[in-house]
Amino acid sequence: MTTENRTAIVTGAAQGIGHGIAERLAQDGLAVTLADLPGNQAALEKAAAEITAAGGKCGIAAADVSSATDVDRLVEEHVAAFGGIDVMVANAGIAVTALFEDTTVEIIDRTMAINVRGVFNCYKAAATRMIKQGRGGRLIAAGSVSAHKGGEWQCAYVASKFAVRGFNQTVALELAKHGITANIYSPGVIKTPMWDSIDEIVTTKEGKPRGSQWDKMLPNIPLGRTGTPQDVARVVSFLASENAAYVTGQSIVVDGGIYMV
Ligand code: NAD
């Protein structure tokens, strides 16, 4: 297929990194379905209108990635609208910020249901369709530097992202024979609503000024700045492109040099 008629689904596309990825893949010429929770449809409509105004091709969908039924329907509707699926970006995720002593079974289960089962549901539904199509495909998921090293305040999140990295490696091995690659992008400190909430929770608990947790990260970033959704989207653009045809099973860290693999 040419770039013009390749297609992609991006989950968690209403804001933050997912929004940036959807915009970028549409600029690259892919037809994109922007998916997010049912409560975020207004933000998706706004994002889709901007993409369309810029000459891109896209649609929107409501899907909770922790539900296999929702994700199967998402892929079916995407294929019905655009004729096939070439790229699945399983971006949606949550970060519950809590010290280990405050982390509950419910936090662990909710984090795993969205961050791990959600990626499983997205890979499974997309790969099933890609194998049927017989033209290969790209499975891409959100990892994190937390897929490589532990971090305070984030034990459930870190566990979920390590799981995503291991899961992705295994899928890459099993689906290589179908010409399907599987890679994760692993951001460091990216300015999104997720990071705003991490900052709010940590600074409230420690009685420090809002923004100070965010500021604390800066001296640890060799490239001297925090990241943007566009920094991550450029890497996803590469992973989705023909240039990444010989790359699979990888975690590409996008963090300004904090964690060197
Ligand atoms: P965000 O919280 O700003 O946006 C996440 C989006 O996912 C939201 O629109 C939300 O509605 C959606 N979402 C949440 N649960 C969902 C569900 N069950 N089904 C469908 N959609 C759901 O987060 P972000 O910072 O843009 O992060 C995107 C991804 O990148 C996440 O997987 C996150 O773990 C990862 N990541 C982010 C950073 C960072 O610094 N921001 C760093 C490393 C990894």
Side-chain angles (χ1 to χ4, degrees):
M1 288 198 115
T2 63
T3 309
E4 292 74 53
N5 50 21
R6 291 175 77 232
T7 83
I9 293 173
V10 182
T11 68
Q15 66 183 36
I17 292 170
H19 180 207
I21 292 169
E23 269 183 347
R24 176 58 199 242
L25 294 182
Q27 277 166 21
D28 290 346
L30 284 83
V32 182
T33 294
L34 291 81
D36 210 295
L37 291 168
N40 283 344
Q41 296 306 288
L44 284 186
E45 275 166 22
K46 184 168 175 286
E50 284 164 9
I51 289 173
T52 308
K57 195 170 172 187
C58 68
I60 65 168
D64 178 339
V65 296
S66 67
S67 157
T69 309
D70 275 20
V71 177
D72 288 349
R73 196 192 59 240
L74 167 66
V75 171
E76 267 171 38
E77 287 175 3
H78 172 86
V79 169
F82 296 121
I85 178 164
D86 301 285
V87 180
M88 166 58 84
V89 185
N91 167 77
I94 59 164
V96 178
T97 303
L99 291 172
F100 168 64
E101 68 204 38
D102 298 325
T103 298
T104 59
V105 167
E106 289 70 30
I107 291 174
I108 292 284
D109 287 352
R110 185 162 157 257
T111 303
M112 292 298 175
I114 296 172
N115 292 9
V116 183
R117 194 203 305 153
V119 173
F120 169 79
N121 287 338
C122 290
Y123 273 28
K124 181 89 168 182
T128 303
R129 179 63 64 160
M130 286 168 180
I131 291 168
K132 218 179 269 175
Q133 290 172 174
R135 59 175 196 248
R138 299 292 161 84
L139 302 174
I140 301 171
S144 171
V145 285
S146 298
H148 293 269
K149 64 191 277 286
E152 288 171 302
W153 292 93
Q154 304 264 306
C155 68
Y157 183 73
V158 169
S160 74
K161 293 298 184 178
F162 266 71
V164 168
R165 185 158 69 95
F167 168 71
N168 180 76
Q169 289 181 2
T170 304
V171 172
L173 288 170
E174 292 190 13
L175 298 192
K177 62 177 179 289
H178 298 290
I180 296 171
T181 63
N183 293 289
I184 67 174
Y185 51 95
S186 289
V189 185
I190 312 296
K191 184 73 178 148
T192 68
M194 177 180 279
W195 237 103
D196 292 339
S197 119
I198 294 171
D199 181 81
E200 184 180 1
I201 290 164
V202 175
T203 54
T204 303
K205 179 112 181 174
E206 292 185 339
K208 292 186 177 151
R210 273 297 288 281
S212 59
Q213 181 66 11
W214 175 260
D215 293 343
K216 210 167 108 184
M217 305 310 292
L218 200 57
N220 303 322
I221 304 175
L223 285 177
R225 65 173 178 86
T226 53
T228 64
Q230 289 68 37
D231 288 320
V232 181
R234 278 191 286 273
V235 172
V236 175
S237 165
F238 162 71
L239 290 173
S241 77
E242 279 313 300
N243 292 328
Y246 199 54
V247 178
T248 197
Q250 301 304 309
S251 166
I252 312 291
V253 179
V254 193
D255 70 347
I258 302 171
Y259 179 83
M260 297 192 185
V261 181

mmCIF file of all heavy atoms in Angstrom, residues 7 11 21 36-37 39 59 64 111 120 136 150 153 168 174 198 205 212 253:
data_model
loop_
_atom_site.group_PDB
_atom_site.id
_atom_site.type_symbol
_atom_site.label_atom_id
_atom_site.label_comp_id
_atom_site.label_asym_id
_atom_site.label_seq_id
_atom_site.Cartn_x
_atom_site.Cartn_y
_atom_site.Cartn_z
ATOM 1 N N THR A 7 -3.578 3.222 7.012
ATOM 2 C CA THR A 7 -4.477 3.720 8.046
ATOM 3 C C THR A 7 -3.965 3.374 9.443
ATOM 4 O O THR A 7 -3.199 2.420 9.604
ATOM 5 C CB THR A 7 -5.909 3.137 7.910
ATOM 6 O OG1 THR A 7 -5.949 1.839 8.521
ATOM 7 C CG2 THR A 7 -6.351 3.036 6.457
ATOM 8 N N THR A 11 -5.219 5.237 20.273
ATOM 9 C CA THR A 11 -6.070 5.296 21.474
ATOM 10 C C THR A 11 -5.544 6.372 22.425
ATOM 11 O O THR A 11 -4.372 6.745 22.372
ATOM 12 C CB THR A 11 -6.121 3.931 22.192
ATOM 13 O OG1 THR A 11 -4.828 3.637 22.747
ATOM 14 C CG2 THR A 11 -6.537 2.820 21.251
ATOM 15 N N ILE A 21 0.301 12.299 18.490
ATOM 16 C CA ILE A 21 0.573 11.201 17.549
ATOM 17 C C ILE A 21 -0.471 11.180 16.426
ATOM 18 O O ILE A 21 -0.127 11.013 15.249
ATOM 19 C CB ILE A 21 0.580 9.844 18.299
ATOM 20 C CG1 ILE A 21 1.776 9.754 19.251
ATOM 21 C CG2 ILE A 21 0.584 8.670 17.311
ATOM 22 C CD1 ILE A 21 1.717 8.577 20.226
ATOM 23 N N ASP A 36 -10.980 7.426 22.205
ATOM 24 C CA ASP A 36 -10.794 7.744 23.627
ATOM 25 C C ASP A 36 -12.068 7.320 24.357
ATOM 26 O O ASP A 36 -13.011 6.800 23.742
ATOM 27 C CB ASP A 36 -10.492 9.250 23.823
ATOM 28 C CG ASP A 36 -9.609 9.518 25.047
ATOM 29 O OD1 ASP A 36 -10.069 9.251 26.177
ATOM 30 O OD2 ASP A 36 -8.461 9.986 24.873
ATOM 31 N N LEU A 37 -12.082 7.544 25.663
ATOM 32 C CA LEU A 37 -13.234 7.172 26.486
ATOM 33 C C LEU A 37 -14.490 7.924 26.021
ATOM 34 O O LEU A 37 -14.380 9.047 25.502
ATOM 35 C CB LEU A 37 -12.948 7.515 27.957
ATOM 36 C CG LEU A 37 -11.877 6.658 28.631
ATOM 37 C CD1 LEU A 37 -11.487 7.274 29.970
ATOM 38 C CD2 LEU A 37 -12.350 5.222 28.812
ATOM 39 N N GLY A 39 -16.546 9.718 27.531
ATOM 40 C CA GLY A 39 -16.649 11.074 28.087
ATOM 41 C C GLY A 39 -15.773 12.099 27.393
ATOM 42 O O GLY A 39 -15.895 13.297 27.656
ATOM 43 N N GLY A 59 -11.292 10.003 11.584
ATOM 44 C CA GLY A 59 -12.591 9.788 12.201
ATOM 45 C C GLY A 59 -12.381 9.680 13.702
ATOM 46 O O GLY A 59 -11.234 9.651 14.164
ATOM 47 N N ASP A 64 -13.284 2.131 25.452
ATOM 48 C CA ASP A 64 -12.497 1.945 26.676
ATOM 49 C C ASP A 64 -11.550 0.781 26.379
ATOM 50 O O ASP A 64 -12.003 -0.346 26.152
ATOM 51 C CB ASP A 64 -13.443 1.610 27.834
ATOM 52 C CG ASP A 64 -12.698 1.351 29.134
ATOM 53 O OD1 ASP A 64 -11.487 1.042 29.105
ATOM 54 O OD2 ASP A 64 -13.342 1.428 30.192
ATOM 55 N N THR A 111 -4.839 -0.263 37.184
ATOM 56 C CA THR A 111 -3.686 0.086 36.340
ATOM 57 C C THR A 111 -3.403 -1.041 35.342
ATOM 58 O O THR A 111 -3.168 -0.786 34.148
ATOM 59 C CB THR A 111 -2.450 0.344 37.232
ATOM 60 O OG1 THR A 111 -2.769 1.380 38.155
ATOM 61 C CG2 THR A 111 -1.248 0.755 36.395
ATOM 62 N N PHE A 120 -2.983 -5.314 25.339
ATOM 63 C CA PHE A 120 -3.308 -6.655 24.832
ATOM 64 C C PHE A 120 -4.530 -6.590 23.909
ATOM 65 O O PHE A 120 -4.505 -7.112 22.782
ATOM 66 C CB PHE A 120 -3.574 -7.619 26.001
ATOM 67 C CG PHE A 120 -4.153 -8.923 25.566
ATOM 68 C CD1 PHE A 120 -3.353 -9.925 25.024
ATOM 69 C CD2 PHE A 120 -5.529 -9.162 25.658
ATOM 70 C CE1 PHE A 120 -3.897 -11.131 24.601
ATOM 71 C CE2 PHE A 120 -6.078 -10.358 25.230
ATOM 72 C CZ PHE A 120 -5.266 -11.344 24.700
ATOM 73 N N GLY A 136 1.088 -7.393 6.330
ATOM 74 C CA GLY A 136 1.910 -6.975 7.462
ATOM 75 C C GLY A 136 1.215 -5.919 8.293
ATOM 76 O O GLY A 136 0.001 -5.744 8.200
ATOM 77 N N GLY A 150 12.685 1.359 38.016
ATOM 78 C CA GLY A 150 11.692 1.725 39.020
ATOM 79 C C GLY A 150 11.677 3.221 39.272
ATOM 80 O O GLY A 150 12.637 3.932 38.939
ATOM 81 N N TRP A 153 6.756 6.660 43.859
ATOM 82 C CA TRP A 153 5.367 7.103 43.695
ATOM 83 C C TRP A 153 4.615 6.323 42.615
ATOM 84 O O TRP A 153 3.490 6.665 42.284
ATOM 85 C CB TRP A 153 5.289 8.590 43.322
ATOM 86 C CG TRP A 153 5.702 9.543 44.393
ATOM 87 C CD1 TRP A 153 6.937 10.075 44.573
ATOM 88 C CD2 TRP A 153 4.871 10.072 45.439
ATOM 89 N NE1 TRP A 153 6.946 10.911 45.656
ATOM 90 C CE2 TRP A 153 5.687 10.942 46.213
ATOM 91 C CE3 TRP A 153 3.539 9.914 45.786
ATOM 92 C CZ2 TRP A 153 5.199 11.641 47.308
ATOM 93 C CZ3 TRP A 153 3.059 10.611 46.870
ATOM 94 C CH2 TRP A 153 3.879 11.459 47.619
ATOM 95 N N ASN A 168 5.283 -6.876 24.582
ATOM 96 C CA ASN A 168 5.602 -6.416 23.229
ATOM 97 C C ASN A 168 6.708 -7.258 22.597
ATOM 98 O O ASN A 168 6.651 -7.603 21.410
ATOM 99 C CB ASN A 168 6.015 -4.947 23.270
ATOM 100 C CG ASN A 168 6.348 -4.409 21.895
ATOM 101 O OD1 ASN A 168 5.456 -4.142 21.098
ATOM 102 N ND2 ASN A 168 7.634 -4.287 21.591
ATOM 103 N N GLU A 174 6.484 -13.598 17.888
ATOM 104 C CA GLU A 174 5.469 -14.500 17.325
ATOM 105 C C GLU A 174 4.880 -13.994 16.010
ATOM 106 O O GLU A 174 4.462 -14.792 15.174
ATOM 107 C CB GLU A 174 4.350 -14.717 18.348
ATOM 108 C CG GLU A 174 4.837 -15.511 19.571
ATOM 109 C CD GLU A 174 3.703 -15.950 20.482
ATOM 110 O OE1 GLU A 174 2.526 -15.870 20.075
ATOM 111 O OE2 GLU A 174 4.009 -16.371 21.609
ATOM 112 N N ILE A 198 0.434 14.261 38.170
ATOM 113 C CA ILE A 198 1.519 13.705 39.001
ATOM 114 C C ILE A 198 2.086 14.814 39.893
ATOM 115 O O ILE A 198 2.253 14.661 41.094
ATOM 116 C CB ILE A 198 2.635 13.090 38.117
ATOM 117 C CG1 ILE A 198 2.118 11.864 37.365
ATOM 118 C CG2 ILE A 198 3.877 12.737 38.949
ATOM 119 C CD1 ILE A 198 3.071 11.312 36.296
ATOM 120 N N LYS A 205 0.974 16.223 48.663
ATOM 121 C CA LYS A 205 1.341 15.305 49.756
ATOM 122 C C LYS A 205 2.592 15.802 50.491
ATOM 123 O O LYS A 205 2.690 15.670 51.705
ATOM 124 C CB LYS A 205 1.561 13.916 49.151
ATOM 125 C CG LYS A 205 1.975 12.843 50.120
ATOM 126 C CD LYS A 205 0.907 11.771 50.335
ATOM 127 C CE LYS A 205 1.388 10.743 51.343
ATOM 128 N NZ LYS A 205 0.426 9.757 51.720
ATOM 129 N N SER A 212 6.679 22.233 41.549
ATOM 130 C CA SER A 212 8.053 21.959 42.016
ATOM 131 C C SER A 212 8.508 20.537 41.691
ATOM 132 O O SER A 212 9.693 20.288 41.483
ATOM 133 C CB SER A 212 8.198 22.253 43.511
ATOM 134 O OG SER A 212 7.300 21.481 44.251
ATOM 135 N N VAL A 253 13.467 4.791 23.683
ATOM 136 C CA VAL A 253 13.350 5.756 24.780
ATOM 137 C C VAL A 253 13.422 7.177 24.204
ATOM 138 O O VAL A 253 14.317 7.497 23.424
ATOM 139 C CB VAL A 253 14.450 5.515 25.835
ATOM 140 C CG1 VAL A 253 14.340 6.546 26.961
ATOM 141 C CG2 VAL A 253 14.322 4.100 26.415
#
